[in-house]
Amino acid sequence: MMETLNEYLPFLIKSSYFLAAILFITGLRRMSAPGTARGGIVWAGVGMLVATVATFLLPDMHNMVLILAALVSSTVLAWVSGKKVAMTDMPQMVALYNGMGGGSAAFIGAMALFNAVDHIDACSMAGGSSHDCLSGVPMVFAIVGVYIGAISLSGSLVAFGKLQGWIDKRFTFPGQHYFNGLIGIGTLALGLYLTQDLNAQYIWIFFGLSLLLGLLMTLPIGGADMPVVISLYNAFTGLAVSFEGFVLQNEAMIIAGMLVGAAGTMLTQHMAKAMNRSLGSVLFGSMGGSGGAAIEGEMKEIQAQDAAIQMAYADRVVIIPGYGMAVAQAQHKLWELTEMLMERGVDVKFAIHPVAGRMPGHMNVLLAEAGVPYDLIEDMEDINGQFSQTDVALVIGANDVVNPVAKTDPESPIYGMPILNVDEAKNSIVIKRGKGTGFAGIQNALFFAENNKMLYGDAQDAIAKLIQGLKAL
Amino acid sequence: MIDGFIALYIFALAAILGFEIIRKVPVVLHTPLMSGSNFIHGIVLVGAMIALGHADTTLEKVFGFIAVFLGAGNAAGGYVVTERMLEMFKPRVKKEDKDGEGS
């Protein structure tokens, strides 16, 4: 009995990896349509479970205690942190988990390389030259995997730090792109050299330089571009996993990794397009700072009570949420306010810019969490023609996506970016913490417009005051 | 051992598939999809387990341990976060705490 089982074990394991690959593909497909998206992650999850269990059955596996210890401790930590984190902090968690995957691929690659060094040493002892003893192609994949995986690890960690607010400065110096380019090419050249003469010392240096490169590449990028960057590193990790899959001769890794590498690249392009940025300008351009003409005029303040009255007697109100709403966790209060306005017969709609918040779809997720029905939420294309018939446009913690400068000032760094036409509304009220410029550091002409009023304060407090104002009527 | 050209075919076909699946997706799904594909490359865990399972030297064991730890975090964290995001796409059921049937 045991013997027949052992005979069929390799077949069983291979079939499990095959099944996992199919489940990943189906899962990703289902996740790309709103109706089936929820089921999609479950399909992929089953695939992961099948592949992991099958791996335990592989023959000649040792260090089982170490494997279980790492697996269980990390799974518990990640599971708990993923469950506990607030909806608003999801983007940085994706960055963190993605960096871990890239790091894992890089360490696997480094292990394969160190292993090859030992192999070469043994082989040279037997009289072969270093070149003869190298197994060739798989080592190239291991090296490229280390390179991309390490960039993804350190880059994603910087992205995590920036979104978490731990790194709030953009780190720039003159000639930075040339310097980074030099390090990038130099590291790649060292990698190429490794294919000819593999030794442990150079592997360490190569690994270190790759990590440094990810760090240097990501530090100068502004927070507003982080979603695109995270998506790019997601694709990087996929590629690294695919390459290390080739080194380990594991089909599930090759297919799943390449699938994500391609899908992630496509997704990155979609995102960059939605922000009217090219990938090149995200990675190498500098956004913010100067650029664009100064704006004349002053911002006019409004009190919450007056703002509440203005909205209560409006026929039509459009609410434009932005990242400010997300940080203040104001979505629940906002829905309460919306329900009160609707009870008074006001026609209320939500307008979502494709890149409002820190990630495309970020606002939709938060509003859905608060219980806002889908039919109240409009995309930019659908609502933009309706602003001229809107009595009050309420902007909550959004800035660049409503800045009319994008339409009027060719000098501005955001010129050409599609925006929500809040400036066409009869009145607009902007809830904002202070007078500073937004994430991109660009002056917003809307704030200085004749029919615009500023309601200063944290989004949560400001909306609470608006609700009080409505109750007092 | 996978033959070089067979591997090339697998690489190319998987890449084309990935491009095709994501070619036309609504903006609302961009973030969940990024998160979902982030989970899928958590399959690196399997590779890390195989690597640690064959590690002999101390250095290999340390690296393998780190690789499994990082890979498992990618897989587990990626799953939870994606599931929570997609939870929001659940078809709206009647609100129990509100009177009337809503919309």
Side-chain angles (χ1 to χ4, degrees):
Chain A
M1 180 64 200
M2 231 22 225
E3 272 163 33
T4 38
L5 190 66
N6 278 336
E7 207 174 307
Y8 284 107
L9 203 55
F11 177 77
L12 186 72
I13 293 167
K14 285 266 176 200
S15 312
S16 304
Y17 288 149
F18 178 74
L19 181 66
I22 300 294
L23 283 170
F24 287 147
I25 294 168
T26 318
L28 189 67
R29 247 182 68 99
R30 295 182 81 86
M31 273 189 268
S32 60
T36 53
R38 286 182 71 222
I41 184 66
V42 179
W43 284 64
V46 172
M48 191 69 72
L49 211 60
V50 168
T52 311
V53 171
T55 306
F56 275 110
L57 302 178
L58 276 175
D60 319 322
M61 292 273 282
H62 43 273
N63 299 327
M64 276 299 175
V65 178
L66 280 178
I67 294 179
L68 273 173
L71 182 70
V72 172
S73 61
S74 180
T75 301
V76 169
L77 275 177
W79 195 273
V80 171
S81 65
K83 280 271 183 215
K84 270 196 359 204
V85 70
M87 260 305 169
T88 34
D89 294 340
M90 288 291 183
Q92 53 261 47
M93 293 316 277
V94 174
L96 180 66
Y97 299 140
N98 175 57
M100 292 176 85
S104 183
F107 277 101
I108 293 171
M111 284 172 78
L113 292 178
F114 282 125
N115 208 318
V117 172
D118 295 343
H119 173 74
I120 291 168
D121 288 347
C123 172
S124 334
M125 217 96 80
S129 78
S130 163
H131 187 79
D132 295 333
C133 295
L134 261 180
S135 46
V137 179
M139 282 310 111
V140 175
F141 283 105
I143 289 165
V144 178
V146 170
Y147 186 61
I148 305 175
I151 291 176
S152 177
L153 169 62
S154 57
S156 296
L157 288 180
V158 173
F160 170 79
K162 287 206 173 200
L163 288 175
Q164 191 78 0
W166 292 348
I167 309 170
D168 53 357
K169 285 247 162 49
R170 287 175 53 208
F171 170 81
T172 50
F173 57 85
Q176 189 167 23
H177 298 318
Y178 298 104
F179 181 74
N180 290 357
L182 217 63
I183 299 240
I185 293 168
T187 312
L188 215 53
L190 179 59
L192 208 66
Y193 177 77
L194 281 177
T195 61
Q196 298 306 312
D197 180 17
L198 204 59
N199 72 62
Q201 222 169 354
Y202 288 165
I203 298 172
W204 282 107
I205 296 173
F206 178 68
F207 200 166
L209 279 176
S210 302
L211 283 172
L212 180 71
L213 184 61
L215 198 75
L216 289 174
M217 269 171 69
T218 323
L219 277 173
I221 301 174
D225 284 329
M226 273 310 142
V228 182
V229 174
I230 296 171
S231 178
L232 180 72
Y233 289 147
N234 185 38
F236 271 26
T237 303
L239 283 179
V241 170
S242 189
F243 290 153
E244 299 309 343
F246 187 73
V247 174
L248 294 170
Q249 301 287 307
N250 185 294
E251 295 87 345
M253 277 173 79
I254 300 180
I255 294 172
M258 198 43 113
L259 190 71
V260 176
T265 307
M266 203 77 193
L267 204 54
T268 311
Q269 279 175 345
H270 282 320
M271 285 187 180
K273 212 169 132 196
M275 300 171 84
N276 195 41
R277 307 266 284 139
S278 74
L279 198 51
S281 64
V282 169
L283 288 177
F284 306 115
S286 52
M287 192 167 179
S290 57
I295 295 158
E296 306 273 310
E298 60 174 324
M299 305 189 203
K300 292 169 290 295
E301 197 176 342
I302 192 172
Q303 296 305 316
Q305 183 61 43
D306 299 329
I309 293 171
Q310 208 176 6
M311 290 197 318
Y313 294 103
D315 289 326
R316 197 179 149 78
V317 170
V318 174
I319 299 173
I320 299 97
Y323 190 66
M325 180 195 81
V327 259
Q329 292 281 353
Q331 62 269 26
H332 298 278
K333 276 261 178 285
L334 183 60
W335 174 229
E336 198 183 327
L337 174 75
T338 308
E339 281 183 304
M340 287 175 76
L341 286 172
M342 283 163 68
E343 274 161 28
R344 298 185 68 99
V346 182
D347 175 22
V348 187
K349 285 275 187 307
F350 289 84
I352 312 273
H353 190 275
V355 295
R358 293 285 158 95
M359 291 213 166
H362 198 179
M363 289 300 125
N364 304 68
V365 168
L366 293 177
L367 290 177
E369 186 200 12
V372 179
Y374 293 125
D375 50 346
L376 293 188
I377 302 175
E378 304 267 0
D379 287 340
M380 183 171 66
E381 295 82 32
D382 301 326
I383 197 115
N384 252 353
Q386 300 173 26
F387 275 106
S388 50
Q389 300 109 50
T390 300
D391 300 303
V392 180
L394 178 68
V395 179
I396 303 166
N399 190 341
D400 299 320
V401 296
V402 297
N403 191 346
V405 158
K407 291 189 291 191
T408 56
D409 182 5
E411 297 292 303
S412 172
I414 58 165
Y415 182 72
M417 181 174 98
I419 61 154
L420 288 163
N421 298 327
V422 174
D423 54 323
E424 290 175 6
K426 289 174 194 154
N427 295 286
S428 55
I429 299 169
V430 175
I431 297 179
K432 201 171 173 303
R433 279 224 278 237
K435 297 190 181 186
T437 52
F439 219 53
I442 303 155
Q443 286 284 355
N444 193 331
L446 176 73
F447 300 167
F448 299 92
E450 203 47 52
N451 53 354
N452 180 72
K453 301 277 195 309
M454 307 297 290
L455 178 56
Y456 291 114
D458 169 78
Q460 175 106 352
D461 295 342
I463 294 168
K465 280 184 191 146
L466 285 176
I467 291 173
Q468 276 170 18
L470 276 182
K471 279 185 182 153
L473 285 180
Chain B
M1 179 78 191
I2 307 168
D3 173 66
F5 265 98
I6 299 288
L8 201 60
Y9 280 118
I10 301 179
F11 277 141
L13 289 175
I16 292 168
L17 199 58
F19 280 129
E20 280 304 314
I21 291 175
I22 308 297
R23 221 148 77 114
K24 234 177 131 45
V25 287
V27 173
V28 204
L29 280 173
H30 280 180
T31 302
L33 259 177
M34 188 207 297
S35 178
S37 54
N38 174 44
F39 164 68
I40 289 177
H41 64 52
I43 189 69
V44 72
L45 167 64
V46 164
M49 285 167 68
I50 296 174
L52 178 55
H54 293 88
D56 297 316
T57 65
T58 314
L59 177 71
E60 281 177 357
K61 281 181 191 168
V62 171
F63 270 40
F65 188 86
I66 297 174
V68 173
F69 188 86
L70 293 177
N74 182 183
Y79 186 86
V80 175
V81 167
T82 310
E83 205 211 8
R84 281 185 60 193
M85 277 187 205
L86 290 174
E87 187 70 14
M88 307 299 163
F89 286 84
K90 140 175 86 186
R92 191 147 296 281
V93 229
K94 67 218 167 287
K95 291 185 247 166
E96 290 102 72
D97 54 341
K98 288 265 186 269
D99 49 355
E101 61 272 15
S103 47

